[in-house]
């Protein structure tokens, strides 16, 4: 919440497959009243633990109407989580797949305002129209600091013909481009050609133009598949992608880059633009060389006469860039930032039909064209009526949602009801032994290459771990058998990590790991063995000790688990792994009564025994393998 107390009401449905009896539990601060099918079942106060658990109530098969009314404490530091359990499973957050709602007019209006705010951040409006000074003194909307690519060393990186096409009409090159169009009309191409001519004076073109090698391209083709590039890109120029409109055509790559600059870009796409949506993989030089060669050999390039796209006047180009204020977003030699006299708050007070938001070319003048649709303008207008206040607030939950969409995380990961694009395009990774050069004999075993689901990511993973994972500083693979790599988005990492946590009702900072109980840790250590235990060491490495009986995918090494998982998620997972993820190879050790076969240890309680294993896991990087 923001400053001061606040209230919120959540209305929707829980969909049940079979009629059963359930208990609801409130965890958090503040107060909550929960109504199910018109009957109040819980009136909870975070200060009174006894009031936070409902009686066991029956839910019917199908849809059950739910209304949750929440009031934060007076200081506004409000948060809560809603759990449920039945006789067949322990208390858990209600799965998003079970929840749905019918959008109301009020909700649609709110989402329209939110979309308008997103567009202001995406268009970097403050780069030309400064808002209130206090906008830059606090935790404002993260995207406002994103800027645009640095236009330095352009000549050795980018080709002139491509730059002309890009400047003339960015969306004709890449459908999801955020770059606006500045020039329209009969002289648009000529102006774009002049700007491109100036840009290629920045730096020096490569002295030697390398050509791709077929052998490199062959290796790159396999890598293109194994990295999941096919989930975000197609090498063909498609007017409409039947699989996903989020996929981007790479048909222009050979006209954009030199082979040498493409290699460098693939090694680190964030060198000149930290907010690039292109992921940074941990590629070796030979991998980048192979991938670059494959793309150069596979793609067709810009259609038409390249002579029409080069030969502009660099001096005129620099003047044009100054005229349309390119320097406000792109730090560029010879092009200065230009701040409009019209402040952002004044723009929103105007007629809303001039400049960037105009509905016609005549009214737009020299202002950029952001390709905004009627719906986009309605969203901007709705946001304008609310004022600029929300730009000065940071909501990492919303930030994470925007980034999951903008970075196309659904390309590789399933989330809630969605199926990842990679699976839809039949882009399963090549088997690891085949990837290393094996002939790949018929019937040979292939490792499972499915990627982790994102549905419970914020509930499952500690934000500090996610930050390291997304920033590329983790230093190890939790799934060493997975051929695919998790790429890095360094400048977004912390915001996404915190956002995933708060979207599950958890603090943006992980709870401090508790001190292990030495006696329980010793019991947990014995439980990790096959004889007299659960055989954890069969599939999981423990410190320097490798798995002893692995025949499929290796589990996460015990020394990484505590720094990675939230403890309460670990416990729910251990009690019933298949309920959390139906396709897991992890066996279930607890019976329907919450007990294990080891009745003489810790009262036979699965919860206590799994807790002892957690105490052992808390040894972290210094964990001692079992003897």
């Amino acid at each position: 919440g923001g400053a001061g107390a606040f209230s919120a009401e959540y209305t929707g449905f829980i969909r049940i497959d079979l009629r059963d009896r359930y208990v609801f539990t409130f965890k958090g601060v503040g107060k909550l009243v929960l109504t199910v099918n018109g009957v109040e079942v819980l009136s909870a106060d975070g200060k009174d633990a006894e009031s936070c658990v409902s009686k066991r109530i029956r839910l019917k098969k199908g849809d059950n109407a739910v209304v949750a009314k929440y009031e934060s404490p007076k200081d506004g530091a409000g948060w809560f989580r809603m759990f449920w359990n039945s006789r067949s499973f322990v208390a858990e957050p209600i799965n998003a797949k079970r929840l749905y709602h019918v959008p109301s007019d009020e909700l649609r209006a709110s989402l329209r305002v939110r979309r308008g705010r997103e567009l202001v951040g995406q268009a970097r409006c403050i780069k030309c129209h400064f808002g209130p000074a206090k906008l830059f003194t606090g935790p404002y909307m993260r995207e406002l600091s994103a800027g645009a690519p640095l236009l330095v060393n352009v000549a050795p990186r980018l080709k002139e013909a491509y730059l002309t096409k890009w400047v003339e009409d960015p969306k004709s090159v890449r459908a999801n481009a955020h770059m606006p169009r500045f020039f329209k009309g009969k002289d648009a191409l000529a102006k774009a050609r002049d700007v491109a001519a100036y840009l290629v004076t920045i730096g020096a073109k490569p002295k030697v133009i390398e050509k791709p090698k077929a052998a490199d391209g062959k290796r790159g083709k396999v890598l293109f598949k194994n990295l999941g590039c096919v989930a975000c890109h197609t090498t063909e120029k498609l007017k409409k992608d039947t699989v996903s409109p989020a996929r981007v055509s790479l048909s222009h790559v050979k006209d954009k880059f030199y082979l040498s600059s493409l290699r460098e870009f693939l090694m680190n796409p964030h060198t000149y633009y930290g907010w690039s949506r292109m992921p940074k993989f941990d590629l070796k030089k030979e991998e980048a060389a192979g991938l670059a060669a494959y793309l150069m050999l596979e793609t067709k390039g810009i259609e038409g006469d390249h002579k029409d796209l080069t030969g502009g006047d660099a001096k005129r180009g620099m003047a044009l860039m100054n005229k349309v204020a390119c320097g406000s977003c792109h730090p560029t030699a010879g092009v200065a930032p230009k701040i409009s006299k019209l402040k952002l708050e004044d723009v929103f007070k105007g007629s809303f039909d001039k400049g960037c938001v105009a509905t016609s070319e005549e009214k737009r003048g020299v202002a950029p064209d952001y390709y905004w649709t009627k719906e986009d303008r309605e969203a901007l207008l709705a946001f304008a009526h609310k004022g600029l206040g929300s730009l000065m607030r940071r909501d990492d939950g919303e930030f994470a949602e925007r980034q999951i969409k903008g970075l196309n995380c659904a390309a590789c990961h399933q989330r809630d009801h969605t199926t990842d694009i990679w699976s839809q395009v039949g882009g399963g990774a090549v088997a690891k032994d085949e990837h290393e050069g094996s002939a790949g004999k018929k019937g040979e075993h292939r490792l499972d290459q499915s990627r982790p689901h994102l549905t419970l990511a914020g509930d499952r993973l500690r934000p500090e771990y996610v930050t390291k994972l997304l920033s590329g500083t983790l230093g190890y693979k939790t799934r060493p058998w997975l051929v695919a790599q998790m790429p890095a988005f360094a400048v977004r990492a912390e915001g996404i990590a915190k956002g995933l946590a708060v979207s599950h009702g958890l603090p943006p900072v992980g709870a401090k790991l508790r001190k292990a109980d030495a006696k329980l840790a010793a019991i947990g250590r014995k439980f990790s063995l096959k004889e007299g235990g659960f055989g954890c060491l069969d599939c999981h490495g423990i410190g320097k000790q490798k798995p002893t009986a692995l025949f499929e995918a290796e589990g996460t090494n015990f020394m990484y688990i505590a720094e990675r998982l939230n403890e309460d998620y670990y416990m729910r997972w251990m009690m019933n792994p298949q309920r959390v993820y139906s396709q897991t190879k992890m066996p279930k050790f607890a019976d329907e009564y919450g007990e294990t076969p080891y009745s003489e240890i810790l009262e036979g309680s699965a919860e206590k025994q799994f807790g002892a294993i957690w105490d052992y896991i808390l040894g972290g990087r210094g964990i001692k393998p079992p003897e």
Side-chain angles (χ1 to χ4, degrees):
F6 66 93
S7 61
E9 181 173 318
Y10 305 85
T11 303
F13 299 88
I14 299 179
R15 182 163 290 172
I16 304 297
D17 294 331
L18 296 173
R19 186 177 65 171
D20 202 349
R21 297 172 69 85
Y22 297 84
V23 172
F24 290 89
T25 303
F26 168 88
K27 293 185 179 181
V29 296
K31 299 178 180 180
L32 180 131
V33 175
L34 179 68
T35 302
V36 180
N37 293 327
V39 178
E40 182 180 306
V41 300
L42 182 64
S43 181
D45 186 334
K47 295 180 180 179
D48 177 17
E50 290 186 4
S51 73
C52 294
V53 182
S54 77
K55 295 181 179 179
R56 194 174 297 276
I57 64 170
R58 187 178 298 280
L59 297 185
K60 63 183 180 180
K61 178 182 178 181
D63 298 337
N64 294 263
V66 177
V67 178
K69 296 181 179 180
Y70 173 74
E71 293 183 9
S72 75
K74 292 182 180 180
D75 62 7
W79 68 273
F80 78 93
R81 305 182 76 197
M82 202 74 223
F83 289 73
W84 70 341
N85 67 278
S86 75
R87 290 187 175 89
S88 61
F89 62 90
V90 298
E92 65 183 19
I94 303 173
N95 194 304
K97 293 181 178 180
R98 296 288 180 190
L99 299 172
Y100 80 97
H101 65 276
V102 177
S104 63
D105 291 340
E106 183 180 8
L107 177 60
R108 290 190 183 94
S110 178
L111 292 176
R112 193 176 298 118
V113 172
R114 182 182 292 186
R115 172 60 177 162
R117 180 175 182 265
E118 179 182 6
L119 289 170
V120 169
Q122 185 175 288
R124 318 288 192 259
C125 299
I126 64 166
K127 296 297 181 179
C128 290
H129 305 280
F130 277 129
K134 62 181 179 179
L135 181 63
F136 301 97
T137 61
Y140 51 85
M141 185 181 182
R142 288 182 183 270
E143 289 93 329
L144 298 183
S145 63
L150 299 173
L151 296 182
V152 296
N153 295 325
V154 177
R157 296 189 292 120
L158 306 175
K159 295 180 181 179
E160 188 174 352
Y162 167 82
L163 288 169
T164 298
K165 289 289 290 182
W166 174 258
V167 172
E168 180 193 22
D169 187 2
K171 280 194 178 290
S172 71
V173 178
R174 195 175 73 221
N176 68 345
H178 290 165
M179 168 84 176
R181 174 172 49 184
F182 287 91
F183 310 120
K184 293 192 74 174
K186 295 180 180 180
D187 60 350
L189 178 59
K191 290 180 178 179
R193 192 162 49 228
D194 290 341
V195 170
Y198 171 67
L199 289 174
V200 294
T201 66
I202 304 173
K205 293 181 181 180
K207 294 180 179 180
V208 178
I209 307 300
E210 301 177 54
K211 293 184 178 181
K213 298 177 182 178
D216 288 339
K218 187 176 181 180
R219 292 200 311 273
K221 184 177 182 179
V222 174
L223 194 60
F224 190 82
K225 189 174 185 179
N226 284 351
L227 288 178
C229 304
V230 292
C232 286
H233 296 288
T234 172
T235 55
E236 299 177 0
K237 187 173 183 180
L238 298 178
K239 292 183 178 179
K240 185 176 181 180
D241 193 329
T242 56
V243 177
S244 169
R247 290 209 300 172
V248 176
S249 171
L250 296 179
S251 61
H252 62 275
V253 164
K254 66 166 53 180
D255 282 305
K256 178 178 181 179
F257 294 102
Y258 297 98
L259 181 62
S260 57
S261 62
L262 181 55
R263 283 200 306 264
E264 292 176 3
F265 176 77
L266 293 172
M267 289 288 287
N268 187 1
H270 303 154
T271 299
Y272 297 99
Y273 185 34
W275 283 79
S276 171
R277 286 174 284 175
M278 172 68 184
K280 181 181 183 297
F281 291 96
D282 187 20
L283 296 180
K284 300 180 178 64
K285 288 183 179 180
E286 59 271 21
E287 290 177 324
L291 196 53
Y294 168 70
L295 293 174
M296 286 291 189
L297 293 167
E298 181 73 13
T299 54
K300 295 180 179 180
I302 297 174
E303 299 175 0
D305 188 355
H306 283 60
K307 292 181 180 179
D308 293 337
L309 303 176
T310 58
D313 185 293
K315 188 175 181 179
R316 285 201 305 263
M318 185 174 70
L320 282 167
M321 290 183 69
N322 276 292
K323 183 177 181 180
V324 298
C326 295
S328 296
C329 289
H330 298 274
T332 311
V335 182
K338 185 178 181 180
I339 306 304
S340 172
K341 294 180 181 179
L342 200 60
K343 303 297 182 184
L344 190 56
E345 57 268 38
D346 296 327
V347 172
F348 284 170
K349 291 176 183 177
S351 66
F352 226 76
D353 195 18
K354 61 183 178 180
C356 303
V357 293
T359 55
S360 68
E361 296 302 318
E362 181 182 358
K363 293 179 180 179
R364 183 177 297 114
V366 297
D369 175 11
Y370 283 94
Y371 307 88
W372 281 327
T373 64
K374 178 184 177 183
E375 290 74 20
D376 290 336
R377 289 189 180 87
E378 289 174 351
L380 286 164
L381 185 58
F383 175 68
H385 287 162
K386 286 288 185 179
L388 301 180
S390 64
L391 292 177
M392 298 171 233
R393 293 196 295 271
R394 179 171 293 176
D395 185 328
D396 283 327
E398 287 189 16
F399 175 76
E401 286 299 315
R402 291 193 297 271
Q403 299 312 305
I404 287 172
K405 179 182 177 182
L407 297 175
N408 196 23
C409 298
C412 296
H413 300 278
Q414 293 187 38
R415 190 180 189 222
D416 297 341
H417 303 282
T418 63
T419 300
D420 63 280
I421 300 170
W422 195 352
S423 298
Q424 293 179 56
V425 297
V430 176
K432 197 165 187 178
D433 48 5
E434 189 176 331
H435 176 54
E436 294 170 351
S438 168
K441 297 178 182 179
K442 187 175 181 180
E444 136 185 287
H445 177 66
R446 288 175 177 242
L447 295 176
D448 174 20
Q449 293 298 309
S450 57
R451 280 75 57 195
H453 288 220
L454 289 185
T455 298
L456 297 175
D459 175 53
R460 179 173 73 246
L461 303 173
R462 293 172 60 84
E464 293 77 13
Y465 166 85
V466 178
T467 298
K468 290 182 179 179
L469 176 68
L470 295 181
S471 64
T473 60
L474 189 60
Y476 62 88
K477 287 186 71 171
T478 54
R479 293 174 175 81
W481 43 267
L482 197 61
V483 176
Q485 298 179 22
M486 179 63 203
F489 300 94
V491 297
R492 293 173 165 90
E494 181 187 10
I496 294 175
K498 289 181 176 180
L500 288 174
V502 300
S503 67
H504 284 271
L506 292 169
V509 178
K512 185 178 180 180
L513 292 174
R514 62 179 176 81
K515 186 177 180 180
D517 182 302
K519 292 183 179 180
L520 289 175
I523 295 173
R525 189 182 183 198
K526 293 180 180 178
F527 270 135
S528 68
L529 293 169
K530 195 174 188 69
E531 294 296 328
F534 301 111
C536 308
L537 190 56
D538 285 356
C539 299
H540 293 267
I542 300 181
K544 295 181 180 180
Q545 175 66 55
K546 299 291 184 182
T548 57
L550 183 67
F551 65 94
E552 285 191 357
E554 180 179 347
T556 303
N557 193 301
F558 268 31
M559 65 179 174
Y560 301 134
I561 291 177
E563 65 186 51
R564 179 172 176 262
L565 296 184
N566 289 313
E567 184 175 356
D568 64 337
Y569 173 87
Y570 157 85
M571 187 58 69
R572 295 198 305 273
W573 169 263
M574 290 295 292
M575 294 299 290
N576 192 343
Q578 286 74 29
R579 179 171 178 82
V580 178
Y581 179 48
S582 61
Q583 299 177 39
T584 182
K585 305 293 192 301
M586 174 78 176
K588 182 176 183 290
F589 296 105
D591 63 19
E592 60 182 315
Y593 303 106
E595 298 176 352
T596 76
Y598 303 108
S599 57
E600 71 283 1
I601 304 175
L602 298 177
E603 304 169 13
S605 167
E607 184 175 353
K608 291 181 179 180
Q609 292 173 7
F610 298 155
I613 295 175
W614 180 259
D615 276 271
Y616 176 44
I617 286 171
L618 286 173
R621 303 294 178 97
I623 194 169
K624 294 181 180 180
E627 297 175 350

